[in-house]
């Protein structure tokens, strides 16, 4: 959702509603995921739930209820289908961000070059496919480390970029302050630094635990 905030903001007539829309979207997403997790935990309460909880639905395929089998099969295969569908979107999104970072004002012209566009997209898509052949028996460890990366992505990097952007607004653009009408106490550098620091510590703890203390 965060990757496409700019698309939502571009087509929004009243930009003041942006915060309410994002809050509502994030809130509904949180409620949905909590509900799914609660239902799964309640239903399989007496079973030992593996890390990949969707595997439990394989047992439901033996049920006599015809309508339940398609749902169980969908849940069982959903992670694979989700990875297949999202992989291309992530590659396109990442390629666009790399091109924007390299070409800046020439982005529109660069996007019209089909060879250049395909080169960036393939550059973002091929390395993960190549690396997947060398994972071998370390897939569980890769999953654990990949999950830990969500911490710096959500806490460290955004806070750091916010601090740097505020400094650049003052130093390079000559503004007295980087505060906008949307700024509040959460936009203060001290708060952002605290969030980034907490995220860095949490990431380090999770990474060490995943690499050295988890039994795979």
């Amino acid at each position: 959702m965060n990757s496409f905030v700019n698309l939502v903001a571009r087509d929004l007539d009243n930009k003041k509603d942006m915060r309410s829309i994002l809050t509502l979207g994030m809130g509904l997403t949180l409620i949905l995921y909590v509900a799914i997790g609660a239902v799964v935990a309640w239903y399989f309460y007496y079973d030992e739930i593996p890390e990949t909880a969707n595997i439990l639905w394989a047992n439901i395929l033996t049920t006599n209820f015809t309508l339940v089998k398609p749902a169980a099969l969908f849940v069982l295969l959903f992670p694979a289908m989700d990875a297949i569908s999202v992989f291309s979107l992530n590659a396109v999104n990442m390629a666009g961000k790399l091109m924007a970072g390299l070409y800046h004002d020439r982005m529109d012209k660069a996007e019209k070059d089909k060879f250049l566009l395909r080169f960036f997209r393939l550059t973002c898509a091929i390395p993960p496919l190549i690396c997947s052949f060398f994972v071998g028996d370390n897939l569980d460890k890769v999953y654990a480390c990949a999950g830990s990366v969500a911490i710096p992505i959500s806490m460290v990097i955004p806070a750091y970029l916010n601090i740097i952007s505020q400094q650049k607004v003052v130093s390079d653009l000559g503004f007295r302050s980087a505060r906008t009408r949307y700024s509040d106490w959460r936009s203060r550098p001290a708060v952002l630094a605290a969030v980034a620091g907490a995220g860095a510590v949490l990431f380090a703890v999770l990474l060490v635990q995943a690499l050295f203390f988890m039994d795979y």
Side-chain angles (χ1 to χ4, degrees):
M1 182 176 179
N2 291 333
S3 301
F4 299 98
V5 169
N6 56 332
L7 299 179
V8 177
R10 183 183 62 185
D11 298 330
L12 191 64
D13 293 332
N14 190 359
K15 299 297 190 285
K16 295 181 180 179
D17 296 334
M18 192 65 198
R19 177 179 294 182
S20 300
I21 293 174
L22 288 179
T23 302
L24 179 62
M26 292 292 186
L28 292 177
T29 303
L30 176 63
I31 293 173
L32 176 62
Y33 275 94
V34 170
I36 293 174
V39 170
V40 171
W42 168 77
Y43 186 83
F44 297 107
Y45 179 76
Y46 295 103
D47 297 327
E48 183 179 353
I49 301 179
E51 293 183 2
T52 51
N54 62 300
I55 295 177
L56 291 172
W57 290 77
N59 299 326
I60 303 180
L61 292 175
T62 59
T63 183
N64 294 325
F65 295 98
T66 306
L67 296 178
V68 176
K69 289 184 178 180
L73 184 62
F74 174 78
V75 174
L76 183 64
L77 298 179
F78 177 78
M81 295 188 296
D82 182 58
I84 293 173
S85 62
V86 174
F87 180 78
S88 58
L89 295 176
N90 287 339
V92 170
N93 188 25
M94 183 177 179
K97 293 183 182 302
L98 287 177
M99 293 180 66
L102 289 174
Y103 292 99
H104 301 288
D105 297 337
R106 298 173 294 164
M107 180 63 179
D108 293 337
K109 184 178 179 180
E111 285 184 326
K112 295 179 181 179
D113 189 334
K114 293 184 178 180
F115 173 80
L116 191 64
L117 188 62
R118 291 171 181 172
F119 171 78
F120 272 89
R121 289 179 178 178
L122 289 175
T123 301
C124 295
I126 292 178
L129 297 177
I130 296 177
C131 293
S132 64
F133 288 101
F134 301 96
V135 172
D137 298 331
N138 298 318
L139 186 59
D140 290 339
K141 185 175 292 187
V142 171
Y143 280 154
C145 295
S148 303
V149 175
I151 301 299
I153 290 177
S154 60
M155 296 180 65
V156 180
I157 296 177
Y160 172 76
L161 292 178
N162 198 324
I163 293 174
I164 295 299
S165 64
Q166 291 188 43
Q167 294 175 352
K168 293 293 184 180
V169 166
V170 176
S171 61
D172 295 353
L173 299 181
F175 287 92
R176 294 182 178 179
S177 174
R179 295 184 61 82
T180 67
R181 62 186 304 174
Y182 302 105
S183 300
D184 54 20
W185 62 271
R186 292 168 294 185
S187 305
R188 296 177 180 176
V191 176
L192 295 171
V195 172
V201 172
L202 182 59
F203 172 66
V205 172
L206 292 176
L207 191 61
V208 170
Q209 182 181 7
L211 291 176
F212 302 105
F213 295 100
M214 290 187 67
D215 186 15
Y216 297 99

